[in-house]
Amino acid sequence: MTIRPSWWRLSLAAPLILCLVLGAATAAQAQTYPSKPIRLVLPYGPGGIVDYVGRTLAQKLTEGIGQPVVAENRPGAGGILGTDTVARAAPDGYTLVLMDPAIVINPTLQADVPYDLFKNLQTVSIVSSSPEVLVVSPALPVKTFPELVAYGKANPGKLNFASAGIGTTPHLAGEMFKLRTGIDATHVPYKGIGASYTDMMSGKVQMAFSSIAGALPFTSDNRVRALATTGLKRSSVYPDLPTVAEAGLPGFEVDLWLAVFAPASLPAPVLSRLNAELKKALEAPDLKVALAKVGVEPRGTSPEEGAQFVRADFDKWKEVITDGKIKEN
């Protein structure tokens, strides 16, 4: 019979003890989260879809999660500055970002993105989908999408198109428009799409692919003119407008989806709680009504489904940028 020293038996038990301790700590973390306000970073200025959906969602999350969810605008560099703030934050569930497809576009389009999308960020949930709307200056002598294309071809170099910044979906939609039509147009980036409307009304820029949320205040009183939307079907907000595909560019589609991201290595119980609260908020009837007003359809996915979707959209836009030889300005 072999007699083992007591330290040997303790060494065998150590992993089990460690697992029990960690398990208890994880369970405690799940029960106490959140214990302070949560910060939801919006990486664009006021007036666009990220701002509108972010503030609407923050209010609904506050009602259900038991702590204030504070929406904070941090615009700059096409969403990179605000997103980097979250990528560098502690992975504790108290700093989140609501971001659009620019988050998958920027890493290919720009060489100096300071974070790794797939190593530094965790998809919590895809929040929504919506088309963009193509708007033009009232000073431009066009009233339909085919007239815009004809004008652009007859006046090479005379069209400027605005965007919410380099690498944003409005930017890439404009680049796709150029590629598909062969029109020579100049990209003019702004810190947010809302900031471009003064110049569009005056004719300094002639067109933009805008979020519906950003466009509505200006199209409702004809300060700018809406020509088409970018979904596979017509928008409920602009039912009389054709889609770009209907109007002459078959297969043209741009989905301005939004998703909530957190710093990578978020504890599983915290991730699960956040995902559940987002799904509950997105199912609320009053939130659905609020989003429908600006042509946004709520979604809600698991973190795994969201991560797969983000990877697929990254691959899609990477191909567009590479094939189109689109470069950072």
Side-chain angles (χ1 to χ4, degrees):
M1 176 179 176
T2 303
I3 298 175
R4 304 288 189 184
S6 58
W7 61 262
W8 185 84
R9 292 190 294 273
L10 287 172
S11 67
L12 289 179
L16 177 58
I17 294 170
L18 180 60
C19 288
L20 291 172
V21 170
L22 291 177
T26 299
Q29 187 174 33
Q31 291 173 358
T32 59
Y33 176 84
S35 60
K36 61 182 181 179
I38 296 171
R39 179 185 181 203
L40 180 62
V41 175
L42 311 178
Y44 302 107
I49 189 171
V50 173
D51 182 66
Y52 178 84
V53 174
R55 294 186 179 281
T56 304
L57 185 60
Q59 181 178 354
K60 182 56 63 176
L61 284 171
T62 295
E63 295 173 9
I65 206 166
Q67 288 287 344
V69 178
V70 182
E72 176 187 324
N73 296 96
R74 287 186 64 85
I80 290 176
L81 294 183
T83 303
D84 187 47
T85 297
V86 177
R88 295 173 182 273
D92 54 13
Y94 291 102
T95 308
L96 310 172
V97 62
L98 180 70
M99 192 52 176
D100 64 7
I103 199 167
V104 300
I105 294 168
N106 286 328
T108 301
L109 187 63
Q110 303 199 53
D112 58 351
V113 175
Y115 52 83
D116 186 307
L117 171 60
F118 299 107
K119 292 181 180 179
N120 302 135
L121 291 162
Q122 159 75 57
T123 307
V124 180
S125 178
I126 306 299
V127 168
S128 64
S129 291
S130 67
E132 293 186 335
V133 58
L134 172 60
V135 292
V136 298
S137 168
L140 200 65
V142 303
K143 293 185 178 180
T144 67
F145 182 81
E147 288 178 359
L148 173 65
V149 173
Y151 177 89
K153 290 183 176 180
N155 297 274
K158 291 189 176 181
L159 284 178
N160 296 327
F161 72 95
S163 83
I166 296 172
T168 61
T169 315
H171 173 203
L172 266 290
E175 296 289 355
M176 285 178 63
F177 171 81
K178 289 170 57 179
L179 287 169
R180 295 291 302 277
T181 61
I183 288 174
D184 177 18
T186 302
H187 174 224
V188 182
Y190 291 78
K191 288 186 177 181
I193 197 65
S196 73
Y197 276 92
T198 299
D199 285 351
M200 207 180 317
M201 288 185 289
S202 69
K204 290 182 180 178
V205 292
Q206 288 73 46
M207 57 177 282
F209 285 89
S210 170
S211 67
I212 290 176
L216 263 177
F218 301 93
T219 59
S220 60
D221 59 7
N222 300 313
R223 285 181 289 169
V224 300
R225 184 179 298 124
L227 300 185
T229 55
T230 65
L232 293 177
K233 60 182 181 180
R234 293 195 178 196
S235 166
S236 60
V237 177
Y238 296 106
D240 296 332
L241 289 185
T243 65
V244 173
E246 282 182 277
L249 292 182
F252 190 103
E253 181 201 3
V254 178
D255 179 9
L256 188 53
W257 55 265
L258 302 178
V260 170
F261 296 86
S265 303
L266 197 66
V270 174
L271 177 60
S272 179
R273 176 74 192 279
L274 282 171
N275 181 265
E277 292 295 339
L278 280 167
K279 285 185 177 179
K280 185 168 68 174
L282 293 168
E283 290 168 359
D286 57 339
L287 183 132
K288 289 182 178 181
V289 170
L291 297 190
K293 290 179 181 178
V294 292
V296 174
E297 181 180 348
R299 292 182 62 178
T301 66
S302 69
E304 295 76 19
E305 291 168 339
Q308 291 172 3
F309 177 89
V310 168
R311 171 62 76 173
D313 214 53
F314 171 85
D315 292 339
K316 167 192 169 181
W317 285 116
K318 183 176 182 179
E319 182 177 354
V320 169
I321 293 166
T322 302
D323 291 351
K325 297 180 173 59
I326 301 168
K327 298 184 181 297
E328 179 184 358
N329 287 355

